[in-house]
Amino acid sequence: MIADVSKSDKIVVEKSTVPVKTAEAIEKILTHNSKGINFQILSNPEFLAEGTAIQDLFNPDRVLIGGRETPEGQKAIQALKDVYAHWVPAERIICTNLWSAELSKLAANAFLAQRISSVNAMSALCEATGADVSEVSHAIGKDTRIGPKFLNASVGFGGSCFQKDILNLVYICECNGLSEVANYWKQVVQVNEYQKNRFVNRVVSSMFNTVSGKKIAILGFAFKKDTGDTRETPAIGVCQGLLGDKAILSIYDPQVPQELIQRDLSMHKSELDKPPHLRPVNAVAIEQVTCVGDAYEAAKGAHGICILTEWDEFKTLDYKKIYNNMNKPAFVFDGRNVVDIEKLRQIGFIVYSIGKPLDAWLKDMPAVA
Ligand SMILES: NC(=O)c1ccc[n+]([C@@H]2O[C@H](COP(=O)([O-])OP(=O)(O)OC[C@H]3O[C@@H](n4cnc5c(N)ncnc54)[C@H](O)[C@@H]3O)[C@@H](O)[C@H]2O)c1
């Protein structure tokens, strides 16, 4: 389309995260249809994260611009650099060749996801041995070579980027005959799956080895706080696991609309893997699931609560009131380490928090794989 409508030379900037070498494909298509017009393709990967997009835009850690190493390519890079120079200091604008820019984007997300899988793997070991994952994260994060960011243990990472970008990286490695490298990165996704399954197993084993017919409140469905996005949210896997054992779910999320939750849960994994426009429109609502307007309603008459998104409001709920309206024994399974464990135990809850020392009740339950 760009080739069709262009009447003068153009710089085309690739912003989306795309398979490495997409810029080359764009270049070929444009050049073959150019009618004498010169096109320069730049790769300018996006580093905005959901929930903090505006801060990230105004104050980026770095801006990455990749282009051809020819004089025309360098001129195009300079033109885009001049745009960013209006608000980004020059030392934070990094210029590379095209392939480095495209690959750096995948590598950055793979490294971030790898940190989460690393700390989540540690959380399993902490539970088995009595260490506290928050203390371990704090201690290792103080090492300036490691740094404190992205070290929160959780029920798993989600979002539209991490899994897709790692699988993209794995594919590129395999295409280049690098099976060991591909397997290394695949493991980051596998630990993420393990973490979700481990959480479900913990819930089921703690509640006398079955959640069949039991009401469980799900607090939070988005893949992280301050967004209504549910793409690849760990809540889907956890809810599907609990539904598989015939639990009755009452779900509350401050931003995710009911229709989206129903749609996400009524689809099989294979359907979720398809792009949204190829998914079935009339996905059947699951009878075991209701969506409600607040956390108190969700927990009313429930046997257990699972916290799956770190929304700030879950830290300050009136847990005494919640406890009084629940079935006993009342369980809290905190998949984001947001609650005050001691306070909740004093109220009477049996509390499980990812990577934290287990209370006596959970220790007596069968080991969780
Ligand atoms: N979301 C987009 O539309 C988009 C578009 C282009 C590029 N990107 C890039 O992809 C990356 C991922 O973006 P995102 O929107 O998924 O947000 P994100 O990086 O904040 O979140 C991804 C996952 O990391 C987890 N996470 C966040 N902070 C954490 C911490 N301190 N400790 C442990 N886990 C933590 C979240 O729970 C979530 O599951 C961004 O950094 C950006 O570079 C995102």
Side-chain angles (χ1 to χ4, degrees):
M1 286 169 73
I2 292 172
D4 276 351
V5 298
S6 292
K7 294 196 168 69
S8 58
D9 293 355
K10 291 280 175 289
I11 298 170
V12 177
V13 183
E14 171 195 327
K15 287 275 316 156
S16 309
T17 311
V18 287
V20 171
K21 304 253 171 180
T22 294
E24 192 176 71
I26 297 174
E27 193 177 63
K28 276 187 186 144
I29 294 167
L30 290 176
T31 319
H32 279 90
N33 295 283
S34 74
K35 299 173 278 187
I37 289 166
N38 290 314
F39 291 103
Q40 280 302 318
I41 319 299
L42 299 178
S43 167
N44 176 215
E46 189 58 80
F47 290 106
L48 311 182
E50 285 184 39
T52 55
I54 301 300
Q55 286 137 264
D56 297 343
L57 174 69
F58 283 138
N59 191 20
D61 284 347
R62 79 320 207 169
V63 168
L64 192 51
I65 304 173
R68 285 281 180 211
E69 285 150 304
T70 57
E72 299 77 29
Q74 294 303 304
K75 212 173 137 202
I77 289 176
Q78 189 58 46
L80 185 56
K81 204 173 165 183
D82 290 345
V83 175
Y84 280 107
H86 287 290
W87 77 97
V88 181
E91 67 277 9
R92 287 201 220 156
I93 305 177
I94 303 171
C95 301
T96 66
N97 74 32
L98 268 179
W99 323 138
S100 299
E102 288 184 327
L103 185 57
S104 297
K105 175 61 203 310
L106 297 185
N109 275 351
F111 272 57
L112 288 169
Q114 180 203 42
R115 270 173 89 91
I116 302 176
S117 279
S118 297
V119 79
N120 283 345
M122 280 298 155
S123 74
L125 188 57
C126 287
E127 286 165 31
T129 56
D132 179 326
V133 76
S134 303
E135 292 177 356
V136 173
S137 290
H138 180 70
I140 62 173
K142 282 286 175 194
D143 186 326
T144 51
R145 293 167 301 177
I146 296 171
K149 293 185 181 166
F150 252 72
L151 283 180
N152 295 338
S154 68
V155 64
F157 62 72
S160 62
C161 299
F162 281 1
Q163 178 161 316
K164 171 196 66 151
D165 286 352
I166 293 175
L167 295 179
N168 200 337
L169 196 60
V170 166
Y171 175 77
I172 294 163
C173 294
E174 280 168 353
C175 289
N176 284 283
L178 304 172
S179 56
E180 284 80 2
V181 185
N183 289 339
Y184 175 77
W185 288 110
K186 236 186 250 174
Q187 199 59 31
V188 172
V189 175
Q190 281 166 7
V191 167
N192 200 44
E193 291 303 309
Y194 164 77
Q195 189 75 344
K196 289 181 252 180
N197 293 336
R198 209 169 70 75
F199 187 85
V200 172
N201 291 345
R202 181 67 83 185
V203 175
V204 174
S205 73
S206 306
M207 299 175 81
F208 310 100
N209 279 317
T210 180
V211 288
S212 177
K214 293 176 186 165
K215 178 174 172 181
I216 298 185
I218 303 292
L219 302 190
F221 198 83
F223 82 96
K224 66 173 196 179
K225 71 171 181 176
D226 300 334
T227 172
D229 195 342
T230 63
R231 286 175 293 173
E232 303 296 341
T233 177
I236 294 176
V238 169
C239 289
Q240 282 176 337
L242 296 172
L243 290 169
D245 194 37
K246 301 195 170 57
I248 313 292
L249 302 184
S250 180
I251 304 178
Y252 165 66
D253 186 285
Q255 278 194 23
V256 182
Q258 170 170 346
E259 307 73 55
L260 187 53
I261 295 176
Q262 295 275 7
R263 207 192 62 185
D264 283 344
L265 291 181
S266 56
M267 279 187 284
H268 296 296
K269 183 78 184 77
S270 57
E271 287 166 345
L272 284 171
D273 286 340
K274 292 178 189 164
H277 66 283
L278 293 178
R279 292 175 187 170
V281 185
N282 296 321
V284 193
I286 293 177
E287 285 171 7
Q288 287 157 263
V289 177
T290 47
C291 297
V292 296
D294 70 67
Y296 299 99
E297 181 65 27
K300 202 178 279 172
H303 296 76
I305 296 172
C306 294
I307 300 175
L308 301 183
T309 312
E310 72 281 22
W311 287 103
D312 289 336
E313 66 178 71
F314 299 156
K315 292 181 190 158
T316 52
L317 292 171
D318 182 346
Y319 281 99
K320 181 88 186 105
K321 179 174 153 191
I322 288 178
Y323 180 80
N324 290 340
N325 287 323
M326 284 178 68
N327 266 299
K328 309 295 176 323
F331 296 85
V332 168
F333 302 94
D334 183 359
R336 297 285 183 166
N337 287 346
V338 293
V339 301
D340 181 334
I341 302 175
E342 275 322 305
K343 219 163 131 189
L344 262 61
R345 285 189 183 144
Q346 273 164 19
I347 292 173
F349 282 106
I350 295 162
V351 186
Y352 164 74
S353 222
I354 297 264
K356 301 281 180 171
L358 300 177
D359 68 20
W361 176 286
L362 298 163
K363 270 190 202 146
D364 291 343
M365 290 294 163
V368 181

